[in-house]
Amino acid sequence: GGTALTVYDVSDRNERSWMTYVALNLALFALYVFTNVSAAKLVVIDALGVVVTPGVFLYPLTFLIVDILNESYGLKLARKAIYFAFVSNTFILLLLSLTTWLPGLADWQLDIPYENVVTHVSSVLVASSVSFLFSEYVNSYLLSKIKELTSSRYLFLRVFLSTCFAVIIDSFLFWYIAFY
């Protein structure tokens, strides 16, 4: 009869807090997808004599977002955000991979470059996914444990230590798996 309450009608829903959680999830997802898709583009930094992908500059922000999620929403919801980003990225790259099997126009010049980019991005996915899951899990777990040990003090120390260990794990796993 239209009298049942929906989740939207409940007055104690903290909508602003949940919208912030959703926005941080979307930012984590977007950064993670961007770093994987942009892996096909190499950038030369002449001043440093290195070649990197554009994702190298933005990927560290994923650790910051997970730290914010962990500090604001707790370890459980931070882990859910990590899994959401992982599953969503895997789904997008799976769909992109499936599109390479579709027949293209005979005279379309971008068909082969498209397949090359998607194949490269898909191969990076395995290394990236494993390193992302482990490093972000370690980051959020350490942040949570250090928070307990310091009685919620020393935010800078918590973020620095947890991110430091997570970045080392991420880099090691990615390079080992990608170039084994």
Side-chain angles (χ1 to χ4, degrees), residues 19-35 58-66 68-69 81 84-85 132 136:
M19 289 308 293
T20 303
Y21 179 75
V22 169
L24 288 169
N25 267 281
L26 290 173
L28 180 64
F29 162 72
L31 285 170
Y32 186 49
V33 170
F34 168 77
T35 57
L58 295 177
Y59 185 71
L61 294 177
T62 63
F63 292 103
L64 178 62
I65 291 171
V66 170
I68 292 169
L69 286 167
F84 170 76
F132 176 80
E136 292 291 1

Side-chain angles (χ1 to χ4, degrees), residues 26-145:
L26 290 173
L28 180 64
F29 162 72
L31 285 170
Y32 186 49
V33 170
F34 168 77
T35 57
N36 282 321
V37 172
S38 69
K41 171 71 175 172
L42 297 178
V43 177
V44 178
I45 303 175
D46 289 328
L48 299 175
V50 296
V51 177
V52 296
T53 66
V56 166
F57 303 109
L58 295 177
Y59 185 71
L61 294 177
T62 63
F63 292 103
L64 178 62
I65 291 171
V66 170
D67 289 347
I68 292 169
L69 286 167
N70 202 342
E71 283 292 314
S72 302
Y73 299 96
L75 180 60
K76 184 177 178 182
L77 289 177
R79 280 190 195 152
K80 287 184 185 230
I82 293 166
Y83 296 139
F84 170 76
F86 168 75
V87 169
S88 299
N89 183 64
T90 303
F91 184 62
I92 286 173
L93 291 176
L94 175 67
L95 291 175
L96 285 173
S97 296
L98 291 175
T99 63
T100 63
W101 296 347
L102 297 174
L105 293 174
D107 296 334
W108 192 48
Q109 296 177 354
L110 295 178
D111 198 34
I112 292 174
Y114 174 80
E115 288 180 15
N116 290 340
V117 168
V118 170
T119 300
H120 175 73
V121 167
S122 297
S123 65
V124 169
L125 171 68
V126 174
S128 174
S129 296
V130 171
S131 63
F132 176 80
L133 280 176
F134 278 100
S135 65
E136 292 291 1
Y137 180 82
V138 166
N139 180 41
S140 60
Y141 178 79
L142 285 177
L143 188 72
S144 177
K145 287 300 174 191

